Amino acid sequence: ETEQRILKQIETRLEELNAHIGNPGIQLGDSSLSRWSNLLLNLEAIEQHMKKMELDNEQQKAEIQMAECKNLMLERNLKEFRKEFECTKQISLAKDNDLD
């Protein structure tokens, strides 16, 4: 009786977890052995889903880091361009003043 109650609680929690992650869940049958097998299979499916989510998260972090690096390079290039522009502008103004 206690085993059946615990089993039902675990099954309910797994159903909630499966619903939360969008996993359809696995059902092999209604016998006690089948129910325990269902639990193990569902736990494995959830673990696999979580691992995939972790990998996706790591990939997103890497993509963000790449974007941040590109942004820093663009900022550096923009600063250099501004310096060159200012130098060119000053040279041009000096030449214009020499012509006057």
Side-chain angles (χ1 to χ4, degrees):
E1 183 63 39
T2 303
E3 178 186 355
Q4 291 302 313
R5 186 174 46 79
I6 292 170
L7 185 57
K8 185 60 181 165
Q9 288 174 343
I10 295 170
E11 286 174 335
T12 301
R13 184 66 183 122
L14 272 177
E15 286 172 9
E16 292 169 359
L17 277 171
N18 278 326
H20 181 71
I21 65 170
N23 186 29
I26 301 167
Q27 295 298 323
L28 297 177
D30 291 331
S31 72
S32 185
L33 181 60
S34 292
R35 290 172 70 190
W36 283 111
S37 296
N38 291 343
L39 292 178
L40 290 174
L41 289 171
N42 279 289
L43 283 172
E44 289 173 4
I46 289 169
E47 287 174 355
Q48 290 300 318
H49 182 81
M50 297 303 288
K51 286 178 184 175
K52 182 185 178 309
M53 288 176 60
E54 287 175 15
L55 288 174
D56 290 348
N57 191 26
E58 290 300 317
Q59 183 178 352
Q60 288 175 349
K61 284 180 185 177
E63 289 171 359
I64 289 169
Q65 287 177 336
M66 288 290 291
E68 288 172 347
C69 287
K70 287 180 182 178
N71 191 36
L72 288 173
M73 289 174 58
L74 288 172
E75 286 177 7
R76 188 179 314 138
N77 289 341
L78 182 58
K79 285 179 185 177
E80 289 177 17
F81 173 77
R82 283 186 178 147
K83 285 181 188 175
E84 290 177 20
F85 175 78
E86 285 300 320
C87 287
T88 304
K89 181 175 141 187
Q90 293 299 325
I91 292 169
S92 180
L93 290 174
K95 285 182 182 177
D96 287 349
N97 287 339
D98 286 345
L99 292 177
D100 291 340

